[in-house]
Amino acid sequence: MPVDTIRRVVDEGLVKEVEFRPSKQLQFEQLIGGLSESEKDLVVALAEGREAVDGQKVSALAQTKQQVLMAAYRLLRYQHNKSSRDSEIAKRSLTLLRASQTLGEMPYASAAAPTRPDLGHPTSQFNVGAGVLEDQEFIDLQWRISYHDTLDPLAGYPVGAGLEMLRVGLRWQDDQLKLQELVPVDIRSLSPRSQFAKGLSWGVKGGLERIPSAEHSLKTGLQGDVGGSWRELGGTSYVLVRPRLEYNPESAVNWQLGLGGVVGQLWQGERISAELSAEYLDFTTAASRTRYQFGMNLKLQHAQSLRLSLDYSRQQGEEFTEAKLAWRRYF
C-alpha cells in the first residue's frame, strides 16, 4: 500500500519536514463555509452563467462579495477541469477571476491540517469475537489483508470511503469450525450531494458469505450499490439501489437474482463510529430478504478497537437475530 511505503520512509528517518498543502476542494469549502444559503445559490448561478458579475445580486453583496466571486470561479474550474477547452467557459472563468482580483488579494483562513495518512491505523487487521445466533454461541476469527472500512477509526482516512481487500472469516460453533466468509473485495464510496456536488455514491462487494437462513449455507454473491448520500443528522445519510446475484448450492434454485435497496445512517469519528442500516431484496425465486444491521466501533488505542454488531434478518418466513462483540487488532 502507498501509505505503508510512506510509513517505512518515515520509520527509517528519511523525512526531515512535513508540510500540509490544502487541496482545492478544502479551499473551496473554506470559501463557502461562512456563506448563507442564498449566497451559496448565487455561487452556483454565477458558475453556470445565470447571473452576471456586475448584476444586481452581486452588487448588493458587502463583505462576502469576493468570497462569492472566487467560490464561483473555483466551482466552475472544478466542474470543467476534465473537459476539452470551451471558449464560453474560459471567458466566464476569466471574468469571475478578474472581478475577484479587482477587490484585492483573496485571503484564505489557515486550514487545520488533518491527521496525516501515515499516522492513521495500520492497514492490516485481525479480530476475534464472541456472539450468539439464535441461542447458539459462537467464536469468530477474522483477518483482513487491507485496508479500511467505514467503521474503523477515521483519523488519516477519507470520510465515507472504505476499501477492504481479502477478508477471511472463520466461525467455531456446535463443535465445528466453518468458513464464515471469504470476500476478495468490498469497496464503498459515499459522496454526499449538495448544490455544489452531484456525484453518485456507490459500492461493490463479491465473495462467499454465510448469510443467516434456514440452511445457513455458504452463498456466493456479487452485489453493487448506486444512489445518493447527504450530510444529515450529524453524519451521512444514504439511499442506494442494490442488485445482487447469488448462488446457493442448497437451494432448489441455485442461482438467484435479487433487486432491492438499502437505506442507512453513518456516523464517523476518530474514536467512535456507528452505522444503522436496513436492506430489502426481492429475488426472482419469489423469495425476499429483509435485514437490519447496527454496528459501533470504539477505538481503544492506536492499533486496537472494539466492534459491536447486531444483525436481524428475515427470509422465507424465518427470523434470525445475531449479536457479536469483537476485539480488533491493526498491524
Side-chain angles (χ1 to χ4, degrees):
M1 302 296 292
V3 69
D4 289 333
T5 303
I6 299 299
R7 289 187 176 113
R8 183 64 180 272
V9 170
V10 172
D11 290 344
E12 293 295 327
L14 301 177
V15 176
K16 292 184 178 180
E17 182 182 0
V18 177
E19 180 183 354
F20 171 64
R21 292 188 298 169
S23 65
K24 297 297 183 184
Q25 178 181 351
L26 183 56
Q27 290 182 348
F28 178 74
E29 290 174 354
Q30 286 182 285
L31 283 171
I32 65 173
L35 299 181
S36 65
E37 289 303 315
S38 60
E39 290 169 335
K40 290 178 181 178
D41 292 338
L42 181 56
V43 168
V44 177
L46 285 167
E48 295 178 351
R50 293 184 285 106
E51 291 286 346
V53 296
D54 55 355
Q56 183 178 357
K57 291 185 177 180
V58 176
S59 300
L61 297 175
Q63 297 179 347
T64 59
K65 183 176 182 179
Q66 190 176 28
Q67 280 181 261
V68 169
L69 290 169
M70 182 54 74
Y73 168 76
R74 294 285 191 194
L75 179 60
L76 182 62
R77 299 300 299 170
Y78 171 76
Q79 291 174 336
H80 298 277
N81 65 347
K82 294 183 179 180
S83 305
S84 57
R85 190 180 187 281
D86 182 282
S87 58
E88 178 61 31
I89 298 299
K91 181 180 179 181
R92 192 187 313 158
S93 176
L94 184 58
T95 300
L96 287 167
L97 182 61
R98 284 176 172 171
S100 175
Q101 290 179 336
T102 58
L103 300 175
E105 185 177 352
M106 180 73 229
Y108 285 96
S110 57
T115 302
R116 285 166 30 195
D118 60 298
L119 298 181
H121 68 76
T123 50
S124 294
Q125 181 265 140
F126 171 81
N127 76 67
V128 55
V132 59
L133 171 61
E134 293 302 305
D135 299 325
Q136 295 293 318
E137 298 176 349
F138 63 82
I139 295 176
D140 275 358
L141 299 174
Q142 187 191 80
W143 172 69
R144 181 184 72 197
I145 188 171
S146 64
Y147 162 65
H148 172 78
D149 69 46
T150 48
L151 286 183
D152 283 328
L154 183 60
Y157 290 85
V159 176
L163 170 60
E164 295 185 87
M165 304 293 290
L166 190 56
R167 189 175 70 235
V168 182
L170 301 175
R171 174 166 292 184
W172 177 264
Q173 188 176 24
D174 296 329
D175 297 325
Q176 289 183 313
L177 183 64
K178 294 182 178 181
L179 178 66
Q180 186 67 13
E181 62 175 353
L182 175 59
V183 181
V185 62
D186 189 350
I187 304 174
R188 195 179 195 196
S189 177
L190 299 178
S191 302
R193 297 171 64 87
S194 67
Q195 64 262 60
F196 306 108
K198 306 296 183 182
L200 292 174
S201 294
W202 63 277
V204 62
K205 178 182 178 181
L208 303 175
E209 295 180 275
R210 202 175 295 276
I211 299 172
S213 60
E215 65 278 354
H216 291 293
S217 59
L218 196 63
K219 302 175 177 65
T220 303
L222 176 64
Q223 69 184 39
D225 293 324
V226 63
S229 60
W230 299 264
R231 296 199 185 281
E232 300 288 347
L233 304 175
T236 303
S237 304
Y238 57 87
V239 179
L240 306 170
V241 175
R242 173 170 290 175
R244 179 177 174 87
L245 179 63
E246 191 171 280
Y247 175 78
N248 185 350
E250 299 184 24
S251 175
V253 180
N254 297 144
W255 287 100
Q256 302 181 41
L257 179 63
L259 180 62
V262 56
V263 298
Q265 178 72 30
L266 172 65
W267 297 273
Q268 293 179 283
E270 296 192 5
R271 182 167 175 77
I272 299 176
S273 297
E275 181 174 15
L276 182 64
S277 66
E279 173 195 34
Y280 177 78
L281 285 172
D282 193 5
F283 290 95
T284 51
T285 56
S288 64
R289 178 184 301 151
T290 303
R291 195 172 186 181
Y292 302 97
Q293 293 179 289
F294 174 77
M296 176 177 286
N297 195 85
L298 172 64
K299 178 181 176 181
L300 300 177
Q301 296 178 353
H302 174 65
Q304 296 183 48
S305 66
L306 283 178
R307 177 75 60 91
L308 171 67
S309 58
L310 305 175
D311 189 327
Y312 168 82
S313 60
R314 184 172 65 247
Q315 185 170 341
Q316 295 178 322
E318 295 189 274
E319 299 180 348
F320 305 91
T321 303
E322 177 180 304
K324 183 174 73 171
L325 182 65
W327 171 78
R328 300 167 69 87
R329 180 73 165 87
Y330 306 92
F331 60 95

